[in-house]
């Protein structure tokens, strides 16, 4: 049993660690591999919802009366994932949130 645990840990270390960085839009989120896979599955099935604001000049030009229009369309957003090493994750966690200058 102990040997199996050591092999599992070594395998995780070789693969780069147990945490994954998911880059969505302009933010990066870090989570365990299992949660990252769940998130990817959810995002793949999600649609985009958008509220579009129309300026007064543009509304007059187009003959519109509403300030906003609402839209739902297929998700074409890009996101990326990368595995982070355990030591790098631990160092970043110790550093915490960056201080404002």
């Amino acid at each position: 049993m102990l040997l199996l645990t050591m092999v599992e840990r070594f395998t995780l270390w070789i693969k780069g660690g147990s945490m994954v960085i998911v880059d969505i839009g302009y933010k990066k989120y870090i989570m365990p591999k299992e949660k990252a896979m769940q998130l990817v599955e959810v995002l793949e099935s999600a649609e985009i919802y958008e509220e579009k604001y129309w300026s007064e000049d543009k509304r007059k030009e187009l003959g519109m009366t509403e300030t906003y229009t609402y839209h739902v369309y297929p998700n074409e957003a890009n996101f990326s994932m990368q595995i982070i090493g355990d030591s790098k994750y631990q160092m970043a966690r110790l550093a915490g949130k960056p201080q404002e200058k």
Side-chain angles (χ1 to χ4, degrees), residues 6-100:
M6 290 173 57
V7 169
E8 288 173 351
R9 286 185 182 174
F10 183 70
T11 303
L12 281 175
W13 180 77
I14 288 176
K15 291 182 180 176
S18 58
M19 301 300 279
V20 174
I21 298 170
V22 181
D23 190 353
I24 304 171
Y26 299 104
K27 287 282 188 187
K28 293 182 181 194
Y29 303 90
I30 190 161
M31 62 198 72
K33 289 178 187 177
E34 299 78 24
K35 295 287 185 181
M37 296 311 294
Q38 290 174 352
L39 179 61
V40 168
E41 288 177 14
V42 169
L43 289 174
E44 286 176 342
S45 65
E47 295 179 301
I48 302 294
Y49 173 80
E50 183 176 343
E51 297 177 3
K52 182 165 176 64
Y53 171 77
W54 298 89
S55 67
E56 187 175 343
D57 293 339
K58 194 67 170 172
R59 287 194 316 264
K60 285 180 182 177
E61 179 185 319
L62 297 172
M64 296 171 58
T65 58
E66 298 297 320
T67 307
Y68 288 90
T69 55
Y70 306 94
H71 309 269
V72 174
Y73 51 93
N75 183 3
E76 297 172 359
N78 292 330
F79 56 90
S80 64
M81 295 173 39
Q82 73 183 67
I83 296 174
I84 184 172
D86 290 335
S87 59
K88 187 174 181 181
Y89 170 74
Q90 293 298 334
M91 292 290 284
R93 184 151 174 108
L94 283 172
K97 187 174 182 177
Q99 295 181 0
E100 298 292 325

